[in-house]
């Protein structure tokens, strides 16, 4: 509880509308969390897992119609449509408040409203921003306790101020037709209704830390990006930091927790994880770009996570974790997902809550999966074996390189470097990726996803590009900008590059470029490595010729891309900065 009149007045209004039976303040204490876990288990909302094998771990299943972010039902409610731009769905704020108020009215009758005061970033730090989420879901409370910094100290830090993000979430009937995720950037407000899933309801994450924060960042001169942050430690102890933006389910968590291949480990290289999904970036007094991870945990994709692909993530999930929509191994009271190991449980319940027969599982038919392809773990960052010592550093880490990337079967080479910040902004703006299960809709379709922020920019995409260009002018010692693609395939559709830990080989080229230690080949799209500069020592079946193939710039497919980019820019509309059209024309010219 607090004496803050702004907080109390707002809660009174929301409670008057939603009409909960009672209101409970979340204080961040372990006793309260434990009582809530017990309550969620007593109602079946969560299942307590084997406490010997998975201490303090729980399983939750969402409704079958509620398994991913719903971009089609996500709205940016600015006073004018132009402010939200053509890429976002827009609703006039008054209309949206009216429409949703009807849905919220009485929606918490018979339920409890939980008040979650939370901070994105270290409480009291320059980077930190505070939010309060009201929700009628214990699952949301328990996830927020992992994903953000929750507790009374947030209210103390807020004092009697009004500078907090007001988030309202009600499960209502989990009705798809009336599901709305709405943002009111001018009002510091987020309203979410009729979902119980991840990014739709953990309002500190995509709604606040990206959509609202990107809006605030533009206003205040900083950046909120869909980026992981990692540190590469050299044998001499130096650590260089990289931030990287890949679209949802394209490898951020995996890269953030990378384990270097043996050849590098033996030399003393290490990789440290600062963040796996979101970065807030500010220009430091030293003229460099500094990044913090505003989150406190990981909401990671479970399928494909295993002892080989991402042992750090796997170990992070061994305690204090909430699993969502994975397979329940009934005999062991543990969890399983596709790609964990080759021993699917015999006595199993699938993500829908039905008995699951692993012998009927067909890799090519997603509907036979035991775990939903977008099933997730919510795990504490501090449980990660490779968590950076700077994770709790309120000033963050200095960024040497920004890396963009996506899933491209053919067009994008393994890695290339932009010529400069403006060209790098262009490279980010033309990012494209084949769609994944992280968002509702068709999977595997190529779509433009600038800076991996298409679903997360809280204002006009053209203005967002302009903000990027502007920031470049404010960072005297700006990071170099690169693009990577781990997902090139051969004619049979197999990934050519081994990926995962071996991505270290590419990171080291990137950092060598930043330090001016290695040459490159200038191509129409940017600087590409000389094939022999990507270290392939210890890689089975990969030769210099494979690297050459991975690095080719296929002029024909790039020309097609140019045409597609022009259409995309036109779709964004007339806020696209002239500098980016200059870059596009220059690219077209270089391609011939
Ligand atoms: P969000 O949490 O949705 O933002 O996703 P993310 O970007 O953190 O993606 P994540 O690291 O969870 O990876 C998603 C999928 O990509 C998993 O199935 C991984 O196994 C796969 N993946 C990650 N890195 C690589 C890689 O280097 N190569 C290949 N082939 N697959 C990868
Ligand atoms: C993503 O989709 O980029 C995620 C998962 O990180 S969610 O929290 O649902 O946005
Ligand atoms: Mn993400």
């Amino acid at each position: 509880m607090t004496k803050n009149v702004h907080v109390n007045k707002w809660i009174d209004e929301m409670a008057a509308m939603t009409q909960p039976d009672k209101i409970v303040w979340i204080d961040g204490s372990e006793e309260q969390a434990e009582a809530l876990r017990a309550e969620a288990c007593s109602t079946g909302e969560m299942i307590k897992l084997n406490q010997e094998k998975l201490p303090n771990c729980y399983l939750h299943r969402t409704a079958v119609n509620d398994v991913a972010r719903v971009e089609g039902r996500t709205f940016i409610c600015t006073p004018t449509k132009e402010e939200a731009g053509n890429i976002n769905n827009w609703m006039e704020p008054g209309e949206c408040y009216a429409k949703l108020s009807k849905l919220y009215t009485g929606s918490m009758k018979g339920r409890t409203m939980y008040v979650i005061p939370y901070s994105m970033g270290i409480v009291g730090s320059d980077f930190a921003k505070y939010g309060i989420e009201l929700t009628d879901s214990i699952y949301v409370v328990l996830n927020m306790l992992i994903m953000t910094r929750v507790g009374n100290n947030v209210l103390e830090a807020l004092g009697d101020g009004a500078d907090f993000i007001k988030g309202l979430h009600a499960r209502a009937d989990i009705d798809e037709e009336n599901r709305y995720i709405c943002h009111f950037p001018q009002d510091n407000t987020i309203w979410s209704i009729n979902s119980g899933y991840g990014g739709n309801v953990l309002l500190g994450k995509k709604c606040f830390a990206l959509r609202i924060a990107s809006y605030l960042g533009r206003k205040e001169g900083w950046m909120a990006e869909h980026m992981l942050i990692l540190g590469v430690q050299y044998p001499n102890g130096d650590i260089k930091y990289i931030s990287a933006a890949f679209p949802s389910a394209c490898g951020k968590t995996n890269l953030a927790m990378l384990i270097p291949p043996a050849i590098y480990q033996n030399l003393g290289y290490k990789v440290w994880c600062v963040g796996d999904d979101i970065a807030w970036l500010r220009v430091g007094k030293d003229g460099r770009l500094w990044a913090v991870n505003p989150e406190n945990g990981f909401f990671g994709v479970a399928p494909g996570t295993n002892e080989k692909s991402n042992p750090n993530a796997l170990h992070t999930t061994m305690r204090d974790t909430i699993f969502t929509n994975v397979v329940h191994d009934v005999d062991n009271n543990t969890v399983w997902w596709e790609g964990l190991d080759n021993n699917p449980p015999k006595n199993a319940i699938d993500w829908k809550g039905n008995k699951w027969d692993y012998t009927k599982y067909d890799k090519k038919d997603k509907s036979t999966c035991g775990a939903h392809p977008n099933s997730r773990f919510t795990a504490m960052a501090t449980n990660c074996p490779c968590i950076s010592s700077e994770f709790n550093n309120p000033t963050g880490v200095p960024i040497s390189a920004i890396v963009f990337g996506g899933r491209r079967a053919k067009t994008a080479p393994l890695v290339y470097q932009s010529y400069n910040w403006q060209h790098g902004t262009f490279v980010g703006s033309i990012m494209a990726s084949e769609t994944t299960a992280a968002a509702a809709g068709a999977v595997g379709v190529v779509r433009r996803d600038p800076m991996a922020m298409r679903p997360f920019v809280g204002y006009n995409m053209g203005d967002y590009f302009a903000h990027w260009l502007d920031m470049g002018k404010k960072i005297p010692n700006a990071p170099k900008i690169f693009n990577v693609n781990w997902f090139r395939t051969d004619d049979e559709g197999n990934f050519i590059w081994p990926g995962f830990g071996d991505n270290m080989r590419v990171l080291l080229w990137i950092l060598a470029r930043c330090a001016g230690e290695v040459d490159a080949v200038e191509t129409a799209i940017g600087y590409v490595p000389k094939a022999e500069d990507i270290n392939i020592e210890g890689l089975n079946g990969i030769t210099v010729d494979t690297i050459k193939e991975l690095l080719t710039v296929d002029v024909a497919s790039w020309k097609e891309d140019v045409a597609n980019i022009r259409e995309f820019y036109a779709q964004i509309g007339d806020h696209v900065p002239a500098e980016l059209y200059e870059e596009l024309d220059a690219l077209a010219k270089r391609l011939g």
Side-chain angles (χ1 to χ4, degrees):
M1 300 239 207
T2 173
K3 294 202 178 79
N4 183 311
V5 289
H6 309 284
V7 172
N8 288 329
K9 181 169 172 280
W10 168 67
I11 295 176
D12 286 348
E13 284 167 15
M14 296 303 105
M17 176 167 69
T18 54
Q19 301 163 32
D21 279 13
K22 54 176 189 173
I23 297 179
V24 171
W25 288 70
I26 301 302
D27 58 16
S29 71
E30 179 52 28
E31 300 74 56
Q32 189 184 42
E34 189 53 30
L36 288 170
R37 288 180 202 119
E39 188 179 338
C41 290
S42 76
T43 60
E45 188 178 348
M46 296 207 309
I47 295 166
K48 190 171 192 166
L49 295 167
N50 184 324
Q51 296 297 296
E52 255 154 53
K53 291 189 168 143
L54 297 168
N56 200 23
C57 289
Y58 293 81
L59 170 65
H60 171 80
R61 294 185 201 106
T62 64
V64 174
N65 74 12
D66 189 27
V67 293
R69 285 181 295 101
V70 278
E71 295 178 5
R73 309 204 62 95
T74 299
F75 291 81
I76 302 296
C77 305
T78 43
T80 65
K81 175 164 169 44
E82 193 173 359
E83 285 163 272
N86 297 332
I87 300 301
N88 284 311
N89 301 311
W90 175 78
M91 228 190 294
E92 195 277 316
E95 180 195 336
C96 186
Y97 282 128
K99 189 183 187 109
L100 268 58
S101 292
K102 279 197 196 127
L103 299 173
Y104 279 119
T105 299
S107 65
M108 293 191 190
K109 270 187 193 153
R111 298 180 180 178
T112 300
M113 173 192 270
Y114 299 96
V115 180
I116 316 171
Y118 66 95
S119 173
M120 301 312 291
I122 309 288
V123 180
S125 72
D126 288 348
F127 270 98
K129 300 241 171 226
Y130 307 129
I132 297 180
E133 176 164 356
L134 308 179
T135 178
D136 58 356
S137 159
I138 296 181
Y139 171 75
V140 167
V141 173
L142 295 173
N143 273 273
M144 286 293 284
L145 282 167
I146 298 172
M147 294 305 298
T148 71
R149 294 168 172 90
V150 174
N152 290 334
N153 58 341
V154 174
L155 294 172
E156 280 157 29
L158 181 60
D160 53 15
D163 188 12
F164 65 99
I165 305 299
K166 307 180 196 88
L168 175 64
H169 165 246
R171 283 179 302 163
D173 310 309
I174 314 288
D175 171 8
E176 269 179 296
E177 303 298 313
N178 282 306
R179 185 168 298 156
Y180 289 97
I181 321 298
C182 297
H183 307 72
F184 306 85
Q186 278 86 353
D187 302 346
N188 284 341
T189 294
I190 305 159
W191 277 16
S192 162
I193 190 160
N194 274 307
S195 173
Y197 189 83
N200 297 333
V201 299
L202 309 178
L203 300 185
K205 196 173 179 55
K206 296 304 170 40
C207 299
F208 176 175
L210 287 180
R211 297 196 190 95
I212 298 283
S214 63
Y215 170 88
L216 295 174
R218 177 178 177 233
K219 214 166 70 173
E220 300 166 2
W222 55 283
M223 306 163 93
E225 299 295 333
H226 193 195
M227 288 178 177
L228 68 94
I229 310 164
L230 63 77
V232 173
Q233 182 175 334
Y234 287 78
N236 69 2
D238 279 1
I239 304 183
K240 298 283 181 217
Y241 293 93
I242 294 176
S243 62
F246 310 155
S248 299
C250 289
K252 287 183 300 301
T253 301
N254 276 272
L255 191 67
M257 299 180 191
L258 179 153
I259 293 188
I263 54 155
Y264 290 113
Q265 280 183 41
N266 297 341
L267 294 171
Y269 284 89
K270 290 193 179 98
V271 170
W272 301 106
C273 173
V274 182
D276 84 322
D277 198 51
I278 297 177
W280 284 0
L281 305 128
R282 287 171 192 267
V283 188
K285 290 194 186 78
D286 61 357
R288 291 189 289 177
L289 190 63
W290 290 72
V292 297
N293 167 15
E295 300 190 282
N296 195 43
F298 309 123
F299 186 62
V301 178
T305 305
N306 60 51
E307 201 52 70
K308 201 166 160 272
S309 68
N310 194 345
N312 282 322
L314 198 61
H315 291 188
T316 309
T317 64
M318 292 302 195
R319 54 177 63 246
D320 311 316
T321 296
I322 301 171
F323 296 93
T324 301
N325 290 343
V326 299
V327 175
H328 189 201
D329 175 339
V330 179
D331 293 339
N332 293 302
N333 194 21
T334 54
V335 288
W336 191 84
W337 49 77
E338 281 72 17
L340 173 64
D341 55 35
N342 291 323
N343 310 307
K346 312 259 160 350
N347 183 8
I349 306 284
D350 69 11
W351 70 273
K352 294 178 181 164
N354 300 324
K355 212 156 165 41
W356 182 65
D357 179 357
Y358 74 96
T359 61
K360 305 243 165 70
Y361 168 57
D362 170 7
K363 245 187 168 160
K364 291 191 191 85
D365 179 2
K366 290 280 180 207
S367 70
T368 64
C369 282
H372 188 274
N374 192 36
S375 56
R376 300 249 170 188
F377 54 78
T378 318
M380 282 167 58
T382 47
N383 282 344
C384 179
C386 62
I387 196 72
S388 163
S389 59
E390 305 308 296
F391 171 70
N392 278 317
N393 183 340
T395 49
V397 296
I399 298 296
S400 299
I402 290 176
V403 179
F404 295 120
R407 287 176 189 261
R408 293 306 296 271
K410 295 285 170 240
T411 313
L414 179 62
V415 57
Y416 68 99
Q417 181 186 0
S418 64
Y419 301 119
N420 51 46
W421 184 277
Q422 175 173 309
H423 179 240
T425 300
F426 171 73
V427 167
S429 80
I430 66 167
M431 261 173 71
S433 194
E434 284 138 34
T435 51
T436 65
V443 168
V445 184
V446 173
R447 78 160 180 176
R448 296 272 151 213
D449 189 350
M451 286 83 171
M453 283 288 281
R454 182 183 181 128
F456 307 122
V457 177
Y459 58 100
N460 189 307
M461 185 64 82
D463 294 338
Y464 169 75
F465 293 164
H467 181 50
W468 261 85
L469 293 172
D470 255 20
M471 286 298 298
K473 294 177 193 130
K474 291 183 192 151
I475 320 169
N477 206 342
K480 303 278 186 283
I481 302 179
F482 298 79
N483 193 90
V484 298
N485 177 25
W486 317 135
F487 299 94
R488 250 199 198 186
T489 53
D490 60 20
D491 294 337
E492 278 86 56
N494 304 306
F495 296 124
I496 304 171
W497 177 245
F500 300 100
D502 289 311
N503 293 333
M504 175 81 173
R505 300 164 190 273
V506 174
L507 297 185
L508 288 175
W509 182 80
I510 287 173
L511 289 173
R513 284 296 293 169
C514 294
E517 291 166 359
V518 63
D519 282 344
V521 184
E522 193 170 338
T523 73
I525 62 167
Y527 299 112
V528 167
K530 294 179 175 168
E532 59 273 21
D533 287 334
I534 299 291
N535 186 357
I536 53 172
E537 189 191 334
L539 274 182
N540 274 336
I542 301 268
T543 64
V544 177
D545 284 334
T546 322
I547 301 295
K548 279 190 184 142
E549 186 189 340
L550 284 165
L551 292 173
T552 50
V553 177
D554 179 43
V555 172
S557 70
W558 273 94
K559 281 184 175 168
E560 264 175 53
D561 238 38
V562 166
N564 184 276
I565 295 161
R566 241 178 244 293
E567 276 171 39
F568 180 58
Y569 275 8
Q571 190 195 340
I572 297 173
D574 53 15
H575 288 229
V576 174
E579 291 92 329
L580 296 189
Y581 275 107
E582 281 163 27
E583 292 291 343
L584 180 57
D585 292 339
L587 170 63
K589 204 164 149 209
R590 288 193 300 268
L591 290 166

